[in-house]
Amino acid sequence: MICDWVAEYKGKLLIHNTLFDLKLIYHRTGGKLPLDIEDTQLLARTLVNDADDFQCRTGLKVLAGEYYDPSWTNIETYDVVDFKNPAFLKYCAIDACAVWKVWDLIQESIDEN
């Protein structure tokens, strides 16, 4: 149900690492994808602009980890059985806030340059 909602959403979606997340959406919806997305990881990669993957670390935890509780990164699996599990809900909430924070940091960097 959630994957279908994401695939059919008409507004802009901010997603960090679309290559992972949209692959899940694509496979779980029979090939549907949202139309208006911004990949904050790819945007950050263009700002860091280093061809060396090791030097160009643009994972969400690297870019926004200092702003949030470190336990946010302690998730055991992405195959969720209980969508009401408090640990899962906390992870989702912080992950969404971190994507928004990275989006804001990117916009500030673009404005400065």
Side-chain angles (χ1 to χ4, degrees):
M1 178 177 76
I2 294 169
C3 290
D4 284 325
W5 179 84
V6 170
E8 295 169 6
Y9 184 68
K10 301 296 183 213
K12 180 180 295 297
L13 291 171
L14 301 178
I15 302 172
H16 197 84
N17 191 6
T18 57
L19 297 176
F20 175 78
D21 293 333
L22 288 186
K23 180 171 46 174
L24 294 174
I25 300 294
Y26 184 84
H27 288 292
R28 292 179 181 176
T29 62
K32 295 188 288 185
L33 291 170
L35 297 176
D36 190 3
I37 61 166
E38 294 283 353
D39 186 330
T40 53
Q41 185 172 38
L42 292 175
L43 290 168
R45 178 80 186 233
T46 62
L47 293 173
V48 173
N49 197 22
D50 196 309
D52 182 350
D53 283 340
F54 185 72
Q55 300 297 324
C56 192
R57 299 188 63 209
T58 56
L60 190 57
K61 280 75 175 178
V62 171
L63 297 173
E66 68 183 270
Y67 299 99
Y68 300 98
D69 178 352
S71 68
W72 152 53
T73 61
N74 299 336
I75 187 165
E76 295 177 23
T77 180
Y78 290 101
D79 293 326
V80 180
V81 177
D82 179 10
F83 288 103
K84 295 181 181 178
N85 178 310
F88 173 70
L89 294 174
K90 179 180 178 183
Y91 171 82
C92 292
I94 295 174
D95 202 66
C97 291
V99 171
W100 193 268
K101 179 64 176 176
V102 169
W103 173 257
D104 283 344
L105 293 170
I106 289 168
Q107 299 311 305
E108 289 172 16
S109 178
I110 290 170
D111 289 344
E112 289 172 4
N113 294 314

